[in-house]
Amino acid sequence: MKNRKYSPVFMMFLCMIMVVLLFPMTVNADMGPKASVRIQFEHMGDELCYGTLLSKEKSTGPASAWDGRTESAQKEYMDPGIWKIFVNYKDPDGYYFLQRSWKVSESKELAWTYYPPGDFKILLYYPETETFVSSGIYARYAFDTYYTVDMDGVDIGSVEYNDDLSTNERIEAYRSYNYRQEMLALGARIVLTILIEMLVALLFGFRQKKQLLILAVVNIITQIILNVLLNVINYNSGPLAFTFFYVLFELIVFALEAVLYCTILKRLSEKKKEDAYYILYSFVANLISFGAGLFLAAKLPACFDIEIS
């Protein structure tokens, strides 16, 4: 019978969760962060060099291969002379130049941050020696994909541009996503969240060893599951999906913890409170940890590996 005291509250939050799950998420096709491919070049010299990604598909987003028509030439995105040279390049695997290039000799990086190709080859061009240097075939493996190319030992002056050049793979890239930093960030988020919720528990008067043990176990389990899921979502889908699911999962965690606290925690407490008190604790603890998580993600993106705008 006591459950009836808090069942309306839980029904309300369950309805909120169902609405979020069932309501269609209409998002503008151009809204929010976009996937990216970043190629870092180590030991690259100072010779003038342009780089691009050749695509398996003829187009991606606004970028597309030139079809020979004057009106479809996208020369405004690069030097017209370099555009012509890349357009005339013939790839043996049939990959397309999508009329985008970067002066990589300045930044030592090729950063395609707006609708990059899914399967691609790295192509470099050195105007001073009229030399092309190409790679094998690579693919995006995360929302933000990172590769590194070690240019040490690449002899860019030994080959001139000819029909056979494109068959010669001269550079290799390796994945350079910082998994170690991601794991450290995951651990930091879990520890900080648990500390915050335990401090709130002390403020609410939960000081018995059994109470603190239950709170610690529940928080460790829910926070590990929550943060692992969020990491997977951020890795594959980016910060916009991260934020959406962060809100959704926090509602679910709040409802789950409230149920556990109203049953297990209340039964172990020497001075039992009304069910609403345990629900209030769950709400306040999760609200504060949620706010702290968003704040730290915005202020310490290097630690949390996301960007909240």
Side-chain angles (χ1 to χ4, degrees):
M1 296 296 291
K2 291 183 179 179
N3 289 341
R4 293 180 180 177
K5 294 182 180 179
Y6 56 85
S7 59
V9 177
F10 292 129
M11 288 300 295
M12 177 185 67
F13 281 98
L14 287 175
C15 287
M16 290 172 58
I17 294 170
M18 290 179 65
V19 168
V20 174
L21 287 171
L22 298 176
F23 191 82
M25 186 179 177
T26 56
V27 180
N28 186 293
D30 200 43
M31 181 184 295
K34 300 295 181 294
S36 68
V37 172
R38 296 178 183 272
I39 314 294
Q40 297 283 341
F41 297 95
E42 294 183 344
H43 306 110
M44 175 176 271
D46 296 325
E47 300 93 342
L48 181 61
C49 178
Y50 291 88
T52 188
L53 299 181
L54 302 178
S55 173
K56 183 178 181 180
E57 305 298 331
K58 286 187 176 182
S59 65
T60 174
S64 62
W66 189 48
D67 58 8
R69 295 180 300 141
T70 303
E71 58 270 24
S72 64
Q74 301 177 9
K75 298 180 182 181
E76 67 273 15
Y77 293 101
M78 55 189 298
D79 180 274
I82 300 300
W83 175 88
K84 183 178 181 180
I85 291 172
F86 275 122
V87 163
N88 291 330
Y89 181 84
K90 304 300 180 183
D91 180 70
D93 298 308
Y95 276 57
Y96 301 95
F97 169 60
L98 301 184
Q99 307 187 72
R100 298 290 190 276
S101 75
W102 291 261
K103 190 180 292 186
V104 297
S105 52
E106 293 182 351
S107 61
K108 308 301 191 248
E109 179 187 43
L110 191 162
W112 196 316
T113 58
Y114 194 78
Y115 291 103
D119 295 283
F120 58 88
K121 298 176 71 175
I122 305 166
L123 180 65
L124 303 179
Y125 176 67
Y126 290 86
E128 295 176 1
T129 57
E130 297 184 343
T131 302
F132 280 97
V133 182
S134 62
S135 76
I137 298 172
Y138 298 95
R140 280 173 42 204
Y141 58 86
F143 186 83
D144 293 307
T145 294
Y146 294 87
Y147 281 97
T148 297
V149 175
D150 189 350
M151 299 294 292
D152 189 28
V154 177
D155 188 2
I156 62 169
S158 62
V159 182
E160 296 180 356
Y161 174 54
N162 54 62
D163 292 337
D164 296 328
L165 177 62
S166 60
T167 65
N168 193 352
E169 296 177 6
R170 298 184 170 278
I171 56 176
E172 294 183 358
Y174 61 90
R175 295 184 181 187
S176 50
Y177 194 93
N178 198 334
Y179 293 99
R180 183 172 178 271
Q181 177 178 304
E182 185 67 19
M183 294 303 296
L184 291 174
L186 172 63
R189 287 198 298 272
I190 293 173
V191 170
L192 286 173
T193 303
I194 293 173
L195 287 176
I196 289 172
E197 298 209 12
M198 295 304 290
L199 287 174
V200 175
L202 293 175
L203 293 175
F204 269 74
F206 300 124
R207 295 185 173 86
Q208 295 175 231
K209 289 184 178 179
K210 290 183 179 180
Q211 289 177 324
L212 295 175
L213 180 60
I214 290 297
L215 290 171
V217 170
V218 170
N219 275 287
I220 289 172
I221 294 174
T222 57
Q223 292 307 315
I224 288 177
I225 295 174
L226 171 67
N227 282 279
V228 168
L229 287 175
L230 289 175
N231 264 39
V232 172
I233 290 169
N234 185 55
Y235 179 84
N236 290 291
S237 303
L240 186 64
F242 172 94
T243 304
F244 172 78
F245 282 101
Y246 193 5
V247 175
L248 174 62
F249 291 163
E250 278 289 356
L251 285 173
I252 296 174
V253 168
F254 157 64
L256 177 62
E257 290 185 350
V259 171
L260 293 174
Y261 296 155
C262 287
T263 53
I264 301 175
L265 186 61
K266 183 177 182 179
R267 187 169 64 248
L268 294 175
S269 300
E270 294 178 357
K271 296 181 180 179
K272 294 178 173 54
K273 305 285 187 179
E274 294 293 328
D275 294 333
Y277 191 81
Y278 299 97
I279 296 173
L280 179 63
Y281 160 70
S282 179
F283 176 76
V284 172
N286 281 283
L287 181 63
I288 294 176
S289 63
F290 172 75
L294 287 181
F295 175 80
L296 291 173
K299 298 299 180 182
L300 300 174
C303 176
F304 283 76
D305 199 35
I306 62 172
E307 293 181 4
I308 302 296
S309 58

